[in-house]
């Protein structure tokens, strides 16, 4: 734990020029701090770790080793996007770990939400640690800590999945965006050439789809959730809501209802749509989605997603509902 105060004279990064100046300064600082040593980073593909990765790639290239753990709970296309952007386009040193079976086997039969979170968090640290031990001669651990993390939780990233590595793996921390607010991180990300969708993506919980596949996760229901969520995101992109709504997603509960398809009885899960607006996630209001958009989403999900036969809309603000269902 540590406390750091953002210097009063530090200008708020509000223009591409200021973002560029920050990048130039950080590149110099990182090179001074790291020298010719290697740096390890858990790269989830979220805004903060992606910006740190891009900054470090600019400063030290292949001395950075990014580890992307696919825990099977990411949204459709996310692991592929991380590989495409960082390995293919930015030529990063990226270790891709397919840990899908490991996570889903550990989660099998576990229905209690906090227990699910604990399993996902603990397994993530275990996988990351195993990968770190395979790599030799790494002296630094980079993290996407940002200023609100420091203000809110004494420097321990509240929702961050990487709880640090064991003592015997002594690594010095490298946290180049720790004095930045989220909007500044995004501006820096744009200047570093990261895709708009990656930099301006909606918040996504660390445990991912794990807390939206309600109750005990099964592979078929998780797949249905991933597909339904992808359709919701596509349609929000098409109608422009993706640019204005703070967070929108699908949750799929673990019960079925009776339906009919091709004149036959067809039992399926409901897909629950939730779209909320907030400034601090402490309270949230409901976005009003036009009916024609809702009809289109419903038609597509029920026609295209195996196992889903109804679409429901969650109209509950926070309070009384939390944003996530679990
Ligand atoms: P709730 O559900 O508490 O969510 O109203 C508030 C915000 O926090 C996100 N959230 C999480 N983020 N790990 C995370 O990294 C979690 O376990 C977690 N639970 C909720 C949620 O998506 C919303 O943005």
């Amino acid at each position: 734990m540590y406390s750091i105060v953002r210097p009063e004279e530090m200008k708020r990064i509000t223009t591409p020029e200021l973002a560029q100046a920050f990048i130039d300064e950080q590149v110099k600082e990182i090179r001074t701090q790291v020298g010719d040593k290697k740096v390890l980073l858990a790269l989830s593909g979220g805004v903060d770790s992606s910006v740190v990765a891009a900054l470090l790639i600019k400063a030290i290239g292949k001395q950075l080793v990014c580890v992307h753990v696919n825990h099977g709970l990411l949204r459709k296309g996310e692991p592929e996007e991380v590989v495409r952007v960082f390995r293919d386009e930015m030529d990063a040193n990226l270790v891709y770990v397919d840990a899908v079976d490991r996570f889903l086997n550990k989660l099998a039969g576990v229905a209690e939400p906090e227990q699910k979170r604990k399993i996902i968090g603990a397994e993530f640290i275990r996988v990351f640690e195993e990968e770190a031990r395979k790599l030799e001669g790494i002296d630094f651990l980079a993290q996407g800590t940002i200023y609100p993390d420091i203000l809110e939780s004494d420097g321990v990233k509240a929702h961050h999945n990487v709880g640090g590595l064991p003592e015997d793996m002594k690594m010095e921390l490298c946290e180049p965006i720790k004095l930045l607010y989220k909007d500044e991180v995004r501006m820096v990300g744009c200047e570093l050439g990261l895709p708009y969708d990656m930099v301006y993506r909606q918040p996504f919980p660390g445990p991912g789809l794990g807390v939206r596949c309600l109750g005990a996760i099964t592979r078929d229901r998780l797949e249905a959730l991933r597909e339904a969520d992808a359709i919701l995101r596509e349609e929000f992109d098409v109608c422009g809501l993706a640019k204005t709504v703070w967070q929108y997603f699908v949750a799929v509960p673990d019960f079925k209802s009776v339906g009919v398809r091709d004149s036959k009885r067809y039992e399926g899960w409901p897909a629950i749509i939730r779209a909320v607006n907030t400034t601090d996630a402490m309270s949230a209001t409901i976005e009003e989605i036009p009916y024609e958009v809702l009809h289109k989403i419903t038609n597509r999900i029920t026609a295209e997603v195996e196992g889903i036969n109804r679409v429901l809309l969650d109209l509950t603000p926070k309070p009384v509902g939390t944003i996530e269902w679990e």
Side-chain angles (χ1 to χ4, degrees), residues 117 159 203-207 212 246-247 281 318 322-324 326:
R117 276 194 173 78
H159 279 145
F204 185 59
R212 297 177 182 170
W246 196 77
Q247 201 172 10
K318 175 179 180 175
T322 45
I323 292 175
E324 302 290 343
E326 287 194 333

Side-chain angles (χ1 to χ4, degrees), residues 76-138:
K76 187 172 177 178
E78 279 185 331
E80 294 83 358
E81 198 195 17
V82 169
V83 172
R84 183 181 60 77
V85 170
F86 291 99
R87 186 184 282 163
D88 303 346
E89 288 176 14
M90 295 192 156
D91 197 26
N93 207 342
L94 174 75
V95 179
Y96 170 82
V97 187
D98 179 348
V100 176
D101 285 336
R102 254 180 98 154
F103 277 83
L104 297 186
N105 290 343
K106 276 257 152 67
L107 287 163
V110 181
E112 207 280 310
E114 288 315 309
Q115 187 63 19
K116 284 164 70 177
R117 276 194 173 78
K118 267 194 202 129
I119 290 173
I120 296 165
E123 195 58 18
F124 192 96
I125 291 169
R126 214 166 293 138
V127 173
F128 186 61
E129 187 189 325
E130 281 172 25
E131 290 305 317
R133 284 191 195 281
K134 284 187 209 159
L135 303 161
E136 276 173 19
I138 303 233

Side-chain angles (χ1 to χ4, degrees), residues 129-157:
E129 187 189 325
E130 281 172 25
E131 290 305 317
R133 284 191 195 281
K134 284 187 209 159
L135 303 161
E136 276 173 19
I138 303 233
D139 292 281
F140 293 88
L141 177 69
Q143 286 194 335
T145 312
I146 66 172
Y147 200 48
D149 298 325
I150 293 174
L151 295 178
E152 286 159 23
S153 53
D154 290 330
V156 179
K157 205 164 180 178

